């Protein structure tokens, strides 16, 4: 009897060791080895900003096919969307993104500053790691009752403006800077007059949502406001869905918006997803992805493919760039940091 118990205890000990080894082998690795005859599986998370939902839903399917053909591996892509600034903060606070595809470089730099992304990320991919661009336009209701044609019309009495909050939304930062660029030209660089103009504009803002998609919902679904300051792709999506209800207005001056992408190195290394995460972003520059970008109303960075969409986009728009504001670090410090110009000029409307 004693011998039999000893054998049973030995068997249980071996089983426990095997189970323990299995558990610890799985920690920190997001790639699963398939059983005989099954493909390996890998999962990555893309933390993105609000208006990229439709594009990445289509792109993820395209990339899955590419990766399967290239590596014989199944990849699952978890997508997260929200205001770009809020999304960046979520990654800093522990949201385990393998890649980030955010509205502006400053949001990725904030993650880099926390040691989660290696320095030099902006040079990892072409065009300063911006595989697509966009710009800021106006969306108005059919008939344009208030006669809105340019930025100057947004400060008139009785005009309700919808735009998200620059503290949480990357698109909102682009909106603000585009308005500032118009006033800078209009008032020949007179900062007091520029500041007064932008203050009047934001006094007409009815709702500051946390992200661009929230602002679109406020304008389109809730029927608030006379004009939406919108990403160009958001405006096109609304026109596609409701062509008889809205019009898009191209202002006399706007801004070249350059959304940025990066691998979150600390997470990808820990999870063993560096190769697939990097490929996921690199493939955004492929001809297939660039065409998909245009079809989803973002502007391809491939100039040849961009020209194929010349009937969609106004390629002659007058646009400033972030370099006209001294780059993102300076622009953010000047306009959007706590106590900076946006805080000085914006007072929430009384409820």
């Amino acid at each position: 009897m004693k011998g039999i118990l000893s054998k049973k205890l030995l068997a249980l000990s071996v089983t426990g060791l095997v189970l323990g080894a299995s558990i610890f082998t799985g920690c920190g690795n997001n790639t699963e080895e398939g059983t005989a005859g099954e493909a390996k599986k890998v999962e990555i998370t893309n933390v993105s900003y609000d208006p990229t939902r439709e594009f990445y839903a289509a792109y993820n399917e395209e990339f899955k096919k590419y990766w399967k053909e290239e590596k014989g591996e199944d990849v699952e892509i978890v997508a997260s969307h929200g205001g770009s600034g809020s999304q960046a903060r979520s990654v800093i606070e522990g949201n385990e993104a393998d890649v980030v595809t955010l509205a502006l470089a400053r949001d990725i730099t904030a993650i880099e500053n926390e040691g989660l992304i290696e320095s030099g990320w902006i040079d990892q991919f072409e065009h300063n790691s911006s595989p697509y661009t966009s710009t800021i336009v106006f969306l108005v209701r059919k008939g344009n009752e208030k006669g809105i044609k340019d930025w100057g019309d947004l400060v008139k009495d009785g005009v309700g403006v919808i735009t998200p909050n620059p503290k949480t939304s990357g698109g909102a930062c682009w909106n603000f800077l585009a308005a500032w660029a118009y006033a800078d030209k209009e008032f020949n660089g007179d900062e007091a007059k520029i500041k007064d103009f932008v203050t009047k504009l934001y006094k007409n803002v009815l709702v500051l949502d946390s992200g661009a998609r929230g602002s679109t919902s406020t304008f389109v679904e809730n029927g608030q406001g006379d004009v939406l300051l919108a990403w160009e792709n958001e405006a096109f999506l609304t026109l596609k869905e409701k062509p008889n209800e809205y019009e898009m207005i191209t202002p006399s001056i706007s801004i070249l918006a350059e959304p940025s992408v990066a691998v979150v190195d600390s997470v990808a290394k820990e999870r063993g997803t560096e190769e697939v995460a990097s490929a996921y972003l690199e493939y955004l520059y492929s001809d297939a992805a660039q065409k998909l970008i245009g079809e989803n109303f973002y502007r391809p960075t491939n100039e040849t493919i961009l020209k194929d969409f010349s009937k969609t986009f106004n390629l002659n728009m007058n646009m400033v760039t972030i370099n006209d504001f001294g780059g993102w670090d300076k622009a953010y410090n000047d306009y959007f940091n706590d106590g900076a110009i946006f805080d000085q000029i914006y007072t929430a409307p009384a409820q």
Side-chain angles (χ1 to χ4, degrees):
M1 177 68 72
K2 191 173 181 181
I4 293 171
L5 285 173
S6 297
K7 289 179 181 179
K8 285 184 177 179
L9 288 171
L10 179 60
L12 287 170
S13 298
V14 171
T15 302
L17 287 170
V18 171
L19 287 172
S22 299
I23 291 168
F24 285 107
T25 300
C27 289
N29 192 329
N30 215 40
T31 303
E32 296 180 8
E33 292 288 345
T35 57
E38 290 183 355
K40 290 193 299 180
K41 295 180 181 179
V42 62
E43 179 182 285
I44 60 172
T45 296
N46 173 15
V47 171
S48 194
Y49 67 104
D50 260 340
T52 59
R53 297 168 193 264
E54 290 77 12
F55 166 63
Y56 277 111
Y59 174 72
N60 289 348
E61 294 306 311
E62 179 69 30
F63 181 76
K64 286 178 185 179
K65 289 188 288 184
Y66 162 76
W67 195 246
K68 181 74 169 180
E69 292 170 1
E70 191 75 8
K71 297 292 182 177
E73 189 173 57
D74 291 320
V75 57
E76 291 299 320
I77 300 148
V78 177
S80 170
H81 298 272
S84 187
S86 298
Q87 291 289 78
R89 281 191 290 277
S90 79
V91 173
I92 291 168
E93 291 167 2
N95 186 359
E96 292 192 337
D98 299 270
V99 300
V100 286
T101 56
L102 298 176
L104 42 92
R106 171 56 175 68
D107 288 334
I108 295 181
T109 300
I111 302 171
E112 175 195 350
N113 291 341
E114 297 297 322
L116 302 177
I117 294 176
E118 294 175 2
S119 61
W121 66 267
I122 202 164
D123 298 317
Q124 185 174 357
F125 304 104
E126 295 175 54
H127 304 287
N128 294 323
S129 290
S130 295
Y132 40 80
T133 68
S134 191
T135 190
I136 303 305
V137 297
F138 303 162
L139 191 68
V140 299
R141 304 184 197 287
K142 202 74 172 180
N144 192 10
E145 184 180 332
K146 299 290 176 73
I148 296 165
K149 296 296 182 186
D150 209 349
W151 295 99
D153 298 314
L154 305 189
V155 301
K156 292 178 180 177
D157 291 342
V159 173
V161 178
I162 302 296
T163 180
N165 189 340
K167 295 289 192 175
T168 55
S169 166
C173 295
W174 293 115
N175 292 352
F176 183 98
L177 295 178
W180 192 276
Y182 167 85
D184 183 44
K185 183 179 179 183
E186 185 75 7
F187 300 112
N188 297 311
D190 186 324
E191 185 152 344
K193 290 181 178 178
I194 299 168
K195 196 171 180 180
D196 181 61
F197 174 86
V198 179
T199 300
K200 288 177 180 176
L201 192 160
Y202 276 85
K203 281 184 178 178
N204 279 350
V205 172
L206 302 180
V207 181
L208 276 185
D209 287 291
S210 62
R213 184 54 58 87
S215 285
T216 301
S217 295
T218 294
F219 185 72
V220 174
E221 295 174 18
N222 300 338
Q224 296 190 55
D226 301 298
V227 57
L228 172 70
L229 307 189
W231 287 95
E232 184 180 50
N233 71 294
E234 279 283 273
F236 273 122
L237 283 173
T238 302
L239 293 176
K240 181 180 178 181
E241 293 172 5
K242 301 183 178 183
N244 299 319
E245 297 181 38
Y246 297 94
E247 300 175 25
M248 188 170 76
I249 306 294
T250 301
S252 63
I253 189 168
S254 193
I255 191 165
L256 178 66
E258 298 175 291
S260 300
V261 303
V263 175
V264 183
D265 299 290
S266 62
V267 173
K269 285 179 180 178
E270 183 178 343
R271 300 174 75 182
T273 58
E274 290 173 281
E275 182 183 22
V276 65
S278 181
Y280 179 78
L281 299 183
E282 182 70 44
Y283 193 66
L284 286 165
Y285 295 88
S286 68
D287 286 355
Q290 289 283 298
K291 289 174 183 175
L292 203 57
I293 283 165
E295 290 167 3
N296 283 272
F297 306 117
Y298 278 98
R299 297 183 177 218
T301 51
N302 181 311
E303 291 292 333
T304 301
I305 294 175
L306 176 61
K307 288 176 183 176
D308 292 339
F309 291 91
S310 60
K311 290 183 180 179
T312 301
F313 303 115
N314 178 356
L315 300 183
N316 298 312
M317 282 181 68
N318 180 20
M319 290 190 278
V320 297
T321 73
I322 193 60
N323 292 333
D324 293 304
F325 294 89
W328 262 116
D329 285 345
K330 185 176 188 307
Y332 203 87
N333 287 334
D334 288 348
Y335 299 101
F336 308 119
N337 261 343
D338 290 345
I341 289 175
F342 177 75
D343 283 352
Q344 295 166 24
I345 64 128
Y346 180 71
T347 303
Q351 297 297 313

